[in-house]
Amino acid sequence: MAIKQKIRIGDLLVQNGVITETQLQQALAKQKSSGQRLGRTLINLGFVQEDKFLGFLSEQLNVPFVDLRRYKFEPAVVQRLSETHARRFRAIALSEKGGLLMVGMADPTDIHAFDALERILQQPIQQAVVRESELLATLDLVYRRTDEIAGFAEELDEELIDGQFDLASLTPAADDSDAPVVKLLQSLFEDAVQIRASDIHIEPDEFVLRIRQRIDGVLQEQIVKERRITPALVLRLKLMSGLDISEKRLPQDGRFSLKVKDKKIDVRLSTMPIEYGESVVMRLLDQSDGAADLNQVGMHDEMLAQFRRLIHMPHGLILVTGPTGSGKTTTLYGALQELNEVGKKIITVEDPVEYRLSRINQVQINPKIGLTFARILRAALRQDPDILLVGEIRDQETAEIALRAAMTGHMVLSTLHTNDAVSSAMRLVDMGAEGFLAATAIRAILAQRLVRRLCDNCCIDHQPDRRELGWIRHAMGTRMPVHFQLKAASGCHRCNNTGYRGRIGVFELLVLNDDMADALRRSSSSDFVHAARQSKGYRPLVVGALEEAFKGVTTLDEVYRVAEQIDESGMFGMEGEFAEIAGSDDDLRLVSHTDSDLFRQEDGVI
């Protein structure tokens, strides 16, 4: 139904007892100063709930209400309305049937917007009412820049003749915003920020250019046919990063900053010569919100309280371990945020400096001029620090300096590339550090991984089969819960059809005790592992990941990925044992029932 006359929605709300006349007058007064629509003003003032207001609109105007969270969008229909017009009129094209286009609107009483949309779309419109908050979030997701990127790539390709291009046109300048290479890069960065990509990969292949974006740890690919635009893109990015544009044979690293969608983005760039040109990888760091604090990393309350106690100790070494991309730096910056006080001198030695923190002396290593971790660390100790952060312990010299600093009144935070907490202490000994140093200095080791978080808009229930159930029982042991409900990924527009949206950390915290310290002094790996696994409160990484799956936060597939990385207890490749552990089909059906006695309580732990 088309709204052809002005509807006084406030009067209708009063007449139907939804709000009072006094509330209407207050809202009208507020509206004059804020400039917001009356409905949004009433909702913000708490005079009416949004769902009740939208339901009232739907009923009074005889238009359907559409829940965008569950709606299956048709990309071709959505693109009928440009993103500019969609944002201006707070509208989205939903479906088309019999020549009638259904358009969801945040304010279906806006007849000026309705008339403008009919004129733009050049066909009759059927209105639907949608939540404004959901509409704005949906617009960020459905208007991807893939077609725009392809179009700018084609435009740039037309300007290039047999791989030759005008260097002057690619040099950063104040008046070159219309240059195709600039528009292509701008569109590429806007798309990456819009879909929350952490990295952009530009990879020339034999016949095509591959542009890949890492979203929640997984790469997604767009193929551009115009492969010969690669040198122009790489040259522009090198100029932006202050790199040597004549050097194509050696890898180079640089960084630059830009503003995208009101966000300040710091870009770390790395180039590498490959068979068909130069590959470029850019890490995108959103500086707008600063570094995350410890409450945001995902530790459960008990572990977080224990970790906080540890980092506030006056001295000692705390290691955070895991592979590249496991969130170690995020956790360490969270710790620094808490430790950053006027009365404490903090120095960091990093490669590279990711987030700039006030009051903290941050130093970036530069091996080309001999500015190594060890050299900076020795100099830092002469700067009277209270707390030191060493980006990574890579060699014997750095390990021994860090350990001695921790023994002489400094709190030292650092990282190691190891699979789990249990293997990390012995890794320092394997590097050549003395066992007695490690035993005296190390306070705790935190191992971590990132698992993808299920999209709460489209996740579905998952019933584990016998093999899966056997694997879960084997991994959990006495920690096995009596009842749980697993979830699986499905896919919708909000998660870009991946089934996942965002990531969460899973952790393993190992606090050294006397038995572990004694094993370190003797450099006995087997005794250390045994003492660690027998220590009070020891909770392996896989258990932490499974507990997130039991809460419906992630999936078994993500837990398997964590288990494969650490391969603890040889849990993989035990197909025959899993079937035996799982039991009968009758047992399996009991898992989701409240009267199940399939699992029993042992040692006070379910």
Side-chain angles (χ1 to χ4, degrees), residues 167-214:
L167 177 62
S169 68
L170 300 174
T171 303
D175 58 351
D176 66 351
S177 58
D178 290 332
V181 66
V182 175
K183 292 190 288 186
L184 174 56
L185 286 172
Q186 181 178 345
S187 183
L188 185 60
F189 284 121
E190 286 180 354
D191 186 56
V193 170
Q194 187 168 301
I195 60 176
R196 301 172 298 105
S198 60
D199 303 82
I200 302 174
H201 296 234
I202 298 175
E203 302 169 340
D205 210 334
E206 185 175 6
F207 301 111
V208 297
L209 171 64
R210 301 182 189 277
I211 297 177
R212 302 201 282 175
Q213 297 166 317
R214 190 175 297 281

Side-chain angles (χ1 to χ4, degrees), residues 499-544:
Y500 299 94
R501 184 169 171 79
R503 291 188 290 178
I504 188 172
V506 292
F507 302 88
E508 170 184 310
L509 180 61
L510 185 66
V511 181
L512 264 69
N513 58 24
D514 292 342
D515 292 337
M516 285 182 266
D518 183 60
L520 274 178
R521 290 188 188 94
R522 294 183 283 106
S523 299
S524 174
S525 176
S526 58
D527 287 351
F528 182 85
V529 170
H530 177 75
R533 296 191 185 280
Q534 297 300 315
S535 63
K536 182 180 179 181
Y538 175 68
R539 180 172 168 270
L541 267 171
V542 170
V543 171

Side-chain angles (χ1 to χ4, degrees), residues 259-407:
K259 196 169 185 179
V260 182
K261 289 181 170 289
D262 296 324
K263 291 178 178 289
K264 184 183 177 183
I265 306 297
D266 198 10
V267 181
R268 280 170 33 198
L269 179 141
S270 171
T271 70
M272 184 174 66
I274 59 176
E275 187 174 3
Y276 297 107
E278 287 183 275
S279 166
V280 177
V281 175
M282 292 177 283
R283 169 66 56 87
L284 309 182
L285 299 168
D286 186 353
Q287 302 286 344
S288 303
D289 300 326
D293 62 44
L294 284 178
N295 293 316
Q296 299 172 305
V297 300
M299 287 189 212
H300 64 76
D301 293 343
E302 184 180 346
M303 182 182 291
L304 181 58
Q306 191 173 19
F307 186 69
R308 279 196 166 111
R309 286 195 296 271
L310 289 164
I311 63 174
H312 281 94
M313 295 177 72
H315 57 83
L317 172 63
I318 296 177
L319 293 171
V320 180
T321 74
T324 301
S326 59
K328 301 186 298 295
T329 302
T330 300
T331 300
L332 286 176
Y333 272 113
L336 288 183
Q337 294 272 73
E338 293 213 1
L339 295 169
N340 190 6
E341 301 172 358
V342 174
K344 293 179 179 177
K345 169 92 169 185
I346 302 177
I347 300 177
T348 73
V349 188
E350 304 175 64
D351 182 25
V353 174
E354 293 197 5
Y355 290 96
R356 296 170 177 86
L357 303 174
S358 62
R359 202 187 293 118
I360 293 179
N361 297 273
Q362 297 174 270
V363 186
Q364 181 166 323
I365 72 164
N366 187 351
K368 292 179 182 178
I369 59 173
L371 202 60
T372 62
F373 276 112
R375 184 170 184 177
I376 299 172
L377 193 52
R378 280 195 296 268
L381 289 172
R382 295 192 289 271
Q383 293 276 313
D384 188 28
D386 297 290
I387 299 165
L388 289 166
L389 184 146
V390 184
E392 182 184 349
I393 295 179
R394 297 177 178 174
D395 52 48
Q396 178 182 353
E397 185 180 14
T398 306
E400 290 188 344
I401 296 172
L403 289 168
R404 292 186 185 278
M407 291 173 59

Side-chain angles (χ1 to χ4, degrees), residues 3 14 74 79 126 179 221 261 330 343-344 356 369 382 391 395 398 424 460 469 527 549 563 587:
I3 308 303
V14 173
E74 302 173 40
Q79 296 300 325
Q126 178 189 0
E221 181 176 81
K261 289 181 170 289
T330 300
K344 293 179 179 177
R356 296 170 177 86
I369 59 173
R382 295 192 289 271
D395 52 48
T398 306
S424 298
I460 56 177
L469 182 58
D527 287 351
D587 285 338

Side-chain angles (χ1 to χ4, degrees), residues 27-38 40-42 44-45:
L28 289 172
K30 180 71 174 177
Q31 184 189 22
K32 288 180 181 179
S33 61
S34 68
Q36 290 182 324
R37 295 182 178 90
L38 178 61
R40 176 52 51 189
T41 304
L42 289 166
N44 289 344
L45 289 172

Side-chain angles (χ1 to χ4, degrees), residues 50-157:
E50 185 175 23
D51 284 357
K52 187 173 182 180
F53 175 75
L54 296 178
F56 177 81
L57 273 185
S58 175
E59 181 180 346
Q60 291 294 319
L61 304 179
N62 194 27
V63 298
F65 170 75
V66 175
D67 186 349
L68 294 180
R69 293 175 302 178
R70 304 284 187 265
Y71 195 79
K72 298 293 183 182
F73 290 91
E74 302 173 40
V77 175
V78 171
Q79 296 300 325
R80 292 284 302 277
L81 187 64
S82 71
E83 182 180 2
T84 301
H85 288 131
R87 292 188 183 279
R88 178 183 176 187
F89 298 115
R90 293 290 195 267
I92 185 169
L94 298 174
S95 63
E96 186 176 17
K97 187 175 182 181
L100 195 63
L101 187 66
M102 179 181 284
V103 176
M105 299 180 66
D107 183 8
T109 66
D110 188 342
I111 59 174
H112 299 296
F114 176 84
D115 289 339
L117 289 169
E118 271 200 335
R119 188 168 57 252
I120 293 165
L121 294 166
Q122 297 182 348
Q123 73 178 96
I125 289 176
Q126 178 189 0
Q127 290 173 301
V129 60
V130 298
R131 296 185 185 93
E132 185 173 15
S133 57
E134 287 178 10
L135 172 66
L136 295 176
T138 300
L139 294 180
D140 287 338
L141 297 168
V142 297
Y143 284 104
R144 289 290 306 276
R145 298 288 199 279
T146 50
D147 291 339
E148 192 176 271
I149 291 169
F152 289 144
E154 187 176 349
E155 184 180 345
L156 176 59
D157 185 61

Side-chain angles (χ1 to χ4, degrees), residues 21 86 283 429 495 552:
E21 180 66 33
R283 169 66 56 87
V429 176
C495 59

